[in-house]
Amino acid sequence: RTWPERTALYLESATALFVDAARNALADAGLAASDIDTVVTISSTGIATPTLEARAFREMGFRSDLHRVPVFGLGCAGGVSGMAIAARLARARPGSNVLMVAIETCTLNFRDDRLSKADVIASVLFGDGAAAACLTTGGEATTAAPIVGEGEEHLWPDTLGIMGWDVDAAGFGVIFDRSIPSFVETHFRDAAAACLARAGLSPGDIARFVCHPGGTKVAEAIEQTMGFEPGRLDHEREVLRDYGNMSAPTVLFVLKRVMEAGQRGQMALAALGPGFTVSMLPILLPEADDR
């Protein structure tokens, strides 16, 4: 498809995904769209101006004084960084409600005009998806709701060629370097430890890392560098098998499965994205009696 055709499909499908994910999150939180003060929209697989939350505005029923924070370019790290941004905004205005929505339509960027190894791998690895979450401060939680900490990031210098997009007349072309698993195995642990240290934590404080499963080899590399037993990232592999790598939303699918499995304690969301960057967010899943 041409770039205009891809963009038209993105505007239609990504807006529909936004509405679906946002409504589900609002229902889970017991909120109405009119209760939302700020929307953080994360997406890197298409361009929309006006942005997606504006396109979904009437259908959602948002207030006219809604604060809008669209974020482009974070790629696979967008789910973690988006949650961190939403948490900062919620803390900045106690009592406000912030909706974070991550939408990616990876398959719209399928390229049959160039068949590099990266393009072939991207075609079989990436899928479409959306996830959303509501964050607030100052309210009384009625359940053992997750408590979101301060997000941290680490950007490695001179790594722009590892992951991202290049752009030509047909649209986005994937940059997906084969060195990612070995890079993760060599560098991830120190960066993760530094991020956690800035948040007042250490790897030993984390009951479970909730990771974005960039691919099977990346999951294996994280397990090896962090000293996890093989297969530890089980929910990550399940999500990857069921949905593919959906880029930004994927880690929130993993988090949902961790919560549904009844796992509790100090967690850390982690994802790698263009830059090349690791984004990390401490998140406490308390027992019901702890609230």
Side-chain angles (χ1 to χ4, degrees), residues 99-141:
L99 173 67
M100 193 285 294
V101 188
I103 314 107
E104 302 294 8
T105 55
C106 302
T107 63
L108 284 181
N109 297 292
F110 170 76
R111 299 288 295 265
D112 61 358
D113 60 321
R114 41 175 257 182
L115 293 175
S116 70
K117 184 175 290 187
D119 290 304
V120 173
I121 292 172
S123 295
V124 299
L125 177 61
F126 285 93
D128 304 328
C134 298
L135 296 91
T136 190
T137 54
E140 289 296 326

Side-chain angles (χ1 to χ4, degrees), residues 3 10 52 73 106 117 136-138 144 170 190 241 245 254 277:
W3 176 244
Y10 173 77
L52 297 176
C106 302
K117 184 175 290 187
T136 190
T137 54
D190 288 345
R241 182 170 58 247
N245 180 343
V254 178
T277 300

Side-chain angles (χ1 to χ4, degrees), residues 24-63:
N24 285 337
L26 289 168
D28 285 347
L31 296 172
S34 58
D35 295 322
I36 298 300
D37 301 290
T38 303
V39 174
V40 178
T41 306
I42 306 295
S43 188
S44 299
T45 46
I47 295 174
T49 304
T51 48
L52 297 176
E53 72 286 339
R55 295 175 181 276
F57 177 84
R58 183 175 293 277
E59 187 174 359
M60 286 297 305
F62 291 130
R63 300 196 317 266

